[in-house]
Amino acid sequence: MSAEHLLIDHVSIEFDTPKGKFKALDRVNLRIAKGEFVSLIGHSGCGKSTVLNIIAGLLQATEGGIVLDGKEVNEPGPERAVVFQNHSLLPWLTAYENVELAVRQVFRGKKSKREMQEWIEHNLRLAHMDHAMHKKPSEISGGMKQRVGIARALAMKPSVLLMDEPFGALDALTRAHLQDSLMEIQNELNNTVVMITHDVDEAVLLSDRIVMMTNGPAATIGEVLTVDLPRPRDRLALADDSRYNHLRAEVLRFLHERRGEKVEPTATMEPDTAAGSNAASVSKPRRNAKEAA
Ligand SMILES: Nc1ncnc2c1ncn2[C@@H]1O[C@H](COP(=O)(O)OP(=O)(O)OP(=O)(O)O)[C@@H](O)[C@H]1O
């Protein structure tokens, strides 16, 4: 991994709410290297999406900022592609056309028609969606829609892939398949990824580092855990790996210690679950200021 690539530089944010100012984040500070896979984990409402949205340029920090490859970024750009929990595909377009739309925006005038077609197909293949590329979102499953969303994000050739609970709405088996696909893609492309997850197993399986956030208001980074498990990683082998289980226990400990603090979340902890299953996760009981606003 090379030197600093993405800097989250002492980011704080305050929202205006009917009850006054609400400080959601307080001096979140993190350096991310090129090709690194970083997960953000923390109890519901602590500010994970806010961090991701600030990196994406969808929200502005009140203090501090985001520096990508030495340049401050304040607005959305194709070098920071986002994959949301709900696919956000245009329903009247096919999978191919959804990816095409993004490719045209980024590569107009830079790639020929033929090159664009090859590039779209290449990315749909990477996400294992080439067999259904001419289907519309209503004709494919939830997991397939997420695959198209991933293909669309990858096709923008982003420096950073931002993923907000990309597999959160999927069943455990589909989720496991997509995690494996993401690891394969990551192995091939070496993308920088910042991913939000509520799933402890998913965080340990996929990440190079897990950033654990304290509860809000004024949430910040509590601890950072380095996941030094060799790659490629195999979920079944990891289930019996003592290092894997130690890391998993560390994340659960962090979350458990913060249980009941301010946002009153609950962490479901079920021992002896296979790696990548959705059993060890932080439930999403309720939102606070955003709902009150
Ligand atoms: N536009 C807004 N106006 C007011 N408060 C907001 C706004 N956006 C977020 N918040 C508040 O900021 C805090 C962080 O919200 P955020 O959505 O980032 O949390 P999260 O960790 O991603 O939550 P979850 O895990 O439930 O998705 C919450 O208290 C939320 O209510």
Side-chain angles (χ1 to χ4, degrees), residues 15-17 22 24 42-51 165 196 198 284 287-291 293:
F15 292 111
D16 287 317
T17 77
F22 175 77
H43 286 297
S44 188
C46 72
K48 303 176 293 294
S49 296
T50 305
V51 172
E165 284 190 72
I196 295 175
H198 280 90
K284 301 181 70 177
R287 325 271 306 174
N288 38 28
K290 193 153 50 187
E291 275 179 356

Side-chain angles (χ1 to χ4, degrees), residues 45-245:
C46 72
K48 303 176 293 294
S49 296
T50 305
V51 172
L52 207 82
N53 286 334
I54 293 173
I55 303 174
L58 297 167
L59 280 175
Q60 292 296 312
T62 317
E63 282 171 61
I66 303 298
V67 182
L68 179 63
D69 293 327
K71 275 194 218 133
E72 188 162 351
V73 285
N74 293 309
E75 50 188 37
E79 76 288 353
R80 282 156 292 134
V82 191
V83 178
F84 294 103
Q85 181 179 114
N86 291 317
H87 61 85
S88 66
L89 301 178
L90 297 176
W92 59 89
L93 298 180
T94 63
Y96 179 96
E97 289 163 346
N98 266 285
V99 178
E100 184 181 31
L101 198 66
V103 167
R104 276 176 191 261
Q105 273 165 11
V106 179
F107 296 107
R108 184 174 290 129
K110 295 182 197 140
K111 281 188 192 289
S112 69
K113 221 173 150 192
R114 175 89 206 131
E115 282 168 338
M116 282 206 215
Q117 185 190 336
E118 277 166 12
W119 179 240
I120 296 161
E121 288 174 3
H122 168 75
N123 283 283
L124 284 161
R125 246 192 322 274
L126 267 179
H128 302 297
M129 269 308 293
D130 43 322
H131 62 293
M133 65 169 104
H134 299 303
K135 295 206 161 147
K136 295 203 170 134
S138 60
E139 299 169 305
I140 58 179
S141 68
M144 289 161 91
K145 288 194 254 265
Q146 275 317 76
R147 287 182 187 276
V148 180
I150 292 170
R152 180 178 57 183
L154 291 173
M156 295 163 81
K157 232 179 176 193
S159 309
V160 181
L161 192 57
L162 302 169
M163 306 181 102
D164 194 344
E165 284 190 72
F167 313 136
L170 305 174
D171 65 89
L173 203 60
T174 307
R175 187 178 185 124
H177 283 309
L178 276 170
Q179 290 165 347
D180 289 342
S181 300
L182 185 59
M183 283 195 288
E184 252 174 61
I185 291 169
Q186 174 71 359
N187 189 31
E188 187 167 330
L189 303 181
N190 201 31
N191 281 306
T192 309
V193 183
V194 182
M195 182 185 78
I196 295 175
T197 182
H198 280 90
D199 183 332
V200 176
D201 291 301
E202 179 170 276
V204 181
L205 180 70
L206 298 180
S207 310
D208 296 308
R209 279 191 298 161
I210 302 174
V211 172
M212 299 180 273
M213 292 185 59
T214 61
N215 296 348
T220 194
I221 294 175
E223 291 177 32
V224 180
L225 189 68
T226 299
V227 181
D228 48 5
L229 300 168
R231 294 183 188 270
R233 296 177 185 165
D234 176 303
R235 70 182 58 250
L236 289 177
L238 284 177
D240 293 325
D241 185 315
S242 59
R243 288 165 305 168
Y244 173 85
N245 285 309

